[in-house]
Amino acid sequence: MNSKIHIMGAAGSGTTTLGNSLANVLPYTHLDTDDYFWKTKFTEQRSTLERQKMLKEDLSRDDQCILTGAVAGWGNCFVPYFNLVIFLWIPSEVRLARLQEREIERYGNAVSPSGSRYEESQVFLKWASLYDHAGMEVRSKVLHEQWMAELSCPLLRIKGDYSIEERVAKVMNYLNRNNSS
């Protein structure tokens, strides 16, 4: 059976965590858009054509996969691949606190005010804070809502600060009810 699930949401909403967790309970391969978008993680982007070519190869190779992250804008050509899109949303204060913690876990003292990555981290956190209120010019809820409005496949919205176990249960319940797995 050919089944592709796309999990999307704001940075820090838990798309990658949910994708990893689902790939542990379903016979699905987990792919993440960051691996296609970035040539050098979080510093140097690949060209749109290069990332599209790489992602198309992987989506075509794996009959059952979960793609986490965002393709709105650069990857609209992949919409027909998806059998289900899952949209995650959590309150921005929770999401931004998670991102701050993740920055410290990844880079340690380098993101402190005297650290070598402080400015870069602050730019990222400022960008991430725009999600709920920005327009179409950046990765935002408005952009994602417009993108989702044009989907022809089912859309599962998970709104709220749920544990990973609760999110997995919601998805599994949905899949079992709709025979989408």
Side-chain angles (χ1 to χ4, degrees):
M1 178 180 180
N2 190 359
S3 181
K4 311 259 189 282
I5 299 172
H6 178 41
I7 305 172
M8 60 182 287
S13 64
T15 62
T16 303
T17 302
L18 180 58
N20 280 328
S21 296
L22 286 171
N24 286 328
V25 296
L26 294 171
Y28 283 56
T29 301
H30 178 219
L31 309 171
D32 190 83
T33 58
D34 281 346
D35 296 328
Y36 303 92
F37 192 88
W38 299 103
K39 185 179 265 183
T40 307
K41 207 73 165 228
F42 311 124
T43 55
E44 184 184 359
Q45 296 178 12
R46 285 191 172 89
S47 72
T48 300
L49 288 176
E50 185 180 3
R51 61 183 101 124
Q52 287 174 342
K53 180 179 182 274
M54 291 172 63
L55 183 54
K56 183 177 182 179
E57 287 173 8
D58 289 350
L59 287 173
S60 297
R61 182 187 63 235
D62 295 316
D63 287 340
Q64 294 184 204
C65 64
I66 299 166
L67 176 66
T68 56
V71 294
W74 70 267
N76 293 342
C77 57
F78 297 111
V79 169
Y81 285 71
F82 305 133
N83 303 94
L84 173 65
V85 171
I86 301 169
F87 175 67
L88 302 182
W89 182 90
I90 60 173
S92 62
E93 61 276 2
V94 175
R95 189 173 56 75
L96 293 172
R98 284 182 183 176
L99 288 173
Q100 184 90 41
E101 288 175 28
R102 187 172 77 187
E103 287 287 282
I104 292 167
E105 285 174 18
R106 281 185 179 164
Y107 307 114
N109 288 335
V111 296
S112 68
S114 61
S116 61
R117 297 185 71 108
Y118 177 75
E119 289 300 322
E120 182 180 314
S121 179
Q122 292 303 299
V123 167
F124 167 70
L125 292 170
K126 182 176 182 192
W127 168 82
S129 73
L130 298 173
Y131 182 82
D132 286 303
H133 307 290
M136 300 286 288
E137 71 281 0
V138 297
R139 181 174 166 186
S140 66
K141 190 166 188 268
V142 169
L143 177 68
H144 282 170
E145 289 291 349
Q146 180 184 14
W147 189 85
M148 291 183 295
E150 298 181 17
L151 292 173
S152 58
C153 70
L155 172 65
L156 172 61
R157 292 174 182 267
I158 302 177
K159 291 185 168 188
D161 185 20
Y162 295 102
S163 70
I164 188 59
E165 295 80 13
E166 291 170 314
R167 286 181 171 188
V168 167
K170 285 179 180 295
V171 173
M172 295 306 293
N173 287 338
Y174 178 89
L175 293 174
N176 289 331
R177 280 193 322 269
N178 296 283
N179 297 320
S180 299
S181 63

